[in-house]
Amino acid sequence: MTIPLRKDDGSIAHYTAYRAQHSRHKLPTKGGTRFAMDVDLDEVEALSFLMTLKCSCVNLPYGGAKGGIKVDPKSLSANELEALTKRYALELSKKGFMSPGNDVPGPDMGTGEREMA
């Protein structure tokens, strides 16, 4: 998906974002959300598979998922980062990807408690 963001200077930037659910045999799925310049669909799909294995190996009752936005989080202001994160969550919710019973995102590379709040 592509997420538009109105930057602090009034310009509009577009960011490519992903969310993959590898296995839905146990719900909800769980997996981190990373903000990094090298995020792409292949990486997100591979990492969602690894989350399935990780949850299975330690007997967690979750399927695997992973998400990300192709962005350098250090290049955005705190306001821009908040707006981008909220828009990502909104788009995931509209597509049925984010809810407590379906998919629970968590922090990963380039994200932390501020983005997850």
Side-chain angles (χ1 to χ4, degrees):
M1 75 183 103
T2 302
I3 299 175
L5 172 68
R6 182 176 304 278
K7 301 194 66 156
D8 292 340
D9 65 5
S11 65
I12 303 287
H14 294 87
Y15 297 93
T16 303
Y18 307 93
R19 185 74 183 169
Q21 296 175 332
H22 170 262
S23 176
R24 295 175 46 82
H25 73 285
K26 291 186 177 182
L27 288 176
T29 59
K30 94 183 250 3
T33 302
R34 55 181 49 203
F35 289 3
M37 288 304 297
D38 59 353
V39 169
D40 63 28
L41 182 59
D42 290 336
E43 177 193 49
V44 169
E45 287 178 340
L47 292 171
S48 71
F49 165 71
L50 293 174
M51 277 304 297
T52 296
L53 294 179
K54 180 179 174 182
C55 290
S56 177
C57 286
V58 296
N59 203 28
L60 289 175
Y62 303 111
K66 191 62 94 169
I69 302 176
K70 188 177 189 83
V71 63
D72 175 6
K74 294 178 182 168
S75 71
L76 300 178
S77 71
N79 289 336
E80 291 168 340
L81 196 55
E82 180 180 350
L84 182 64
T85 303
K86 285 181 176 180
R87 183 62 184 261
Y88 177 67
L90 176 66
E91 294 301 323
L92 289 178
S93 294
K94 287 198 290 191
K95 296 176 185 324
F97 270 94
M98 196 164 79
S99 72
N102 186 37
D103 191 351
V104 182
D108 200 332
M109 184 172 67
T111 61
E113 60 276 357
R114 179 181 59 200
E115 289 78 23
M116 296 299 116

